[in-house]
Amino acid sequence: MSVGSGEKSGVPAQSPVQQDDGGGSKTVRNAALATGGAGCLLFPMGLAGGTVIVIVFCGFGVLLAPLIAIYLLFHSIFGGGGGGDDIPGPSDASSVMAIFQGDGQGDLDTSTVPEDLVESIQKAGAICSYVGPIVIASQLEKASNFNASVSGPDGKQGISQLPPDIFSKYGKDDDGNGKTSVLDAKDSIMAQGRYMCDLAGQAQKMIDANQAAGSVLDLTLAGYAVGMDAVKAAQGMPTTNEAQGYVTSIRAQFAKYSGAAAIPSGTPTPTGVQTALPTD
């Protein structure tokens, strides 16, 4: 993925609604992301209702079209009774794109997260002005799909999948059970919020000192993924797939957790899709 770099090429194409032999209609949305660079892979994704989305994954380039197509796809299948007759117009897609490119602020749609985690996510998203609950919820889905018992690589555990040294620094007994444990969801979520706010403060200082360019949120998310040293060395968003892919995958969930897009729970977020991120 390339953020703010690389040349755009190719135009996403959508076919009209096609009639089947029985006289019924099926929605066929073919959205292609064709970008510069080598190692492109055509990735078709077939879902219910005859809907198809095709994305070309490449090493470079930027286009927002795939996310618009994905939103329209899910909305047409699962919204309005699950059929293709309630397809949102350009204003709906524009709203989702604005949220994708926004600062992750706003109210969390509490129906999109487990009920017992709402309070902790809200609190973690209120620690600082840079990181809202929508961002926290999006990260939790990416990290563990809200599973507090997950064990990951390099000793990562719990709902936030924080590295042991990070949790040791930022973790507290936030659930009041007399112990500080990464396996306690509330302890883990609040530690994540404190860590994110610390990273955001570092990002803001680098921007103010002209040591890095970009938005505070993007640099914070990149720092969360690959470390702030990498962000500082790149003087902004690192050009690695790991950093850029993480930022994109988190932003891709903003519409869901803000309540703007009814995306099915557990639906995997495509990784490797090259999308334009805000630069200020």
Side-chain angles (χ1 to χ4, degrees):
M1 183 172 81
S2 175
V3 179
S5 64
E7 296 294 326
K8 297 180 182 178
S9 66
V11 178
Q14 294 183 356
S15 64
V17 175
Q18 300 176 349
Q19 299 293 324
D20 59 23
D21 294 337
S25 67
K26 63 179 180 178
T27 303
V28 180
R29 294 192 175 277
N30 297 316
L33 170 61
T35 57
C40 298
L41 173 64
L42 189 64
F43 182 80
M45 187 166 59
L47 295 176
T51 305
V52 178
I53 181 169
V54 179
I55 300 174
V56 178
F57 292 86
C58 302
F60 304 94
V62 292
L63 265 184
L64 289 175
L67 286 178
I68 297 174
I70 290 169
Y71 168 67
L72 293 174
L73 172 90
F74 283 125
H75 191 98
S76 64
I77 295 173
F78 298 98
D85 295 332
D86 182 31
I87 299 174
S91 62
D92 297 305
S94 296
S95 175
V96 171
M97 286 300 96
I99 294 171
F100 171 83
Q101 293 184 300
D103 58 9
Q105 299 297 319
D107 295 330
L108 172 73
D109 181 349
T110 57
S111 69
T112 61
V113 301
E115 184 177 358
D116 60 331
L117 300 179
V118 170
E119 183 179 1
S120 295
I121 293 173
Q122 298 276 32
K123 287 183 176 180
I127 294 175
C128 66
S129 61
Y130 299 108
V131 181
I134 291 172
V135 177
I136 297 294
S138 300
Q139 288 184 292
L140 291 175
E141 176 175 325
K142 174 73 172 177
S144 66
N145 199 27
F146 301 100
N147 186 345
S149 62
V150 169
S151 293
D154 303 321
K156 295 179 181 179
Q157 290 183 293
I159 195 168
S160 294
Q161 289 291 286
L162 294 172
D165 60 327
I166 297 299
F167 182 78
S168 178
K169 181 177 181 179
Y170 296 95
K172 297 181 181 179
D173 179 20
D174 288 287
D175 59 4
N177 67 353
K179 63 178 182 179
T180 301
S181 172
V182 70
L183 297 178
D184 291 341
K186 292 183 179 180
D187 294 359
S188 187
I189 292 171
M190 291 301 293
Q192 176 187 337
R194 295 185 190 101
Y195 180 41
M196 282 289 290
C197 285
D198 189 344
L199 294 176
Q202 295 179 50
Q204 184 65 72
K205 288 180 180 179
M206 284 193 289
I207 292 172
D208 292 343
N210 293 320
Q211 295 176 338
S215 73
V216 172
L217 180 58
D218 285 342
L219 299 189
T220 299
L221 289 171
Y224 189 92
V226 299
M228 291 305 292
D229 286 343
V231 173
K232 186 174 182 179
Q235 297 183 324
M237 177 67 66
T239 57
T240 63
N241 287 335
E242 182 180 5
Q244 296 179 10
Y246 183 77
V247 175
T248 300
S249 66
I250 298 304
R251 283 187 169 279
Q253 300 300 326
F254 286 179
K256 175 166 72 172
Y257 290 109
S258 68
I263 299 175
S265 176
T267 299
T269 300
T271 57
V273 177
Q274 310 310 317
T275 48
L277 301 176
T279 57
D280 53 34

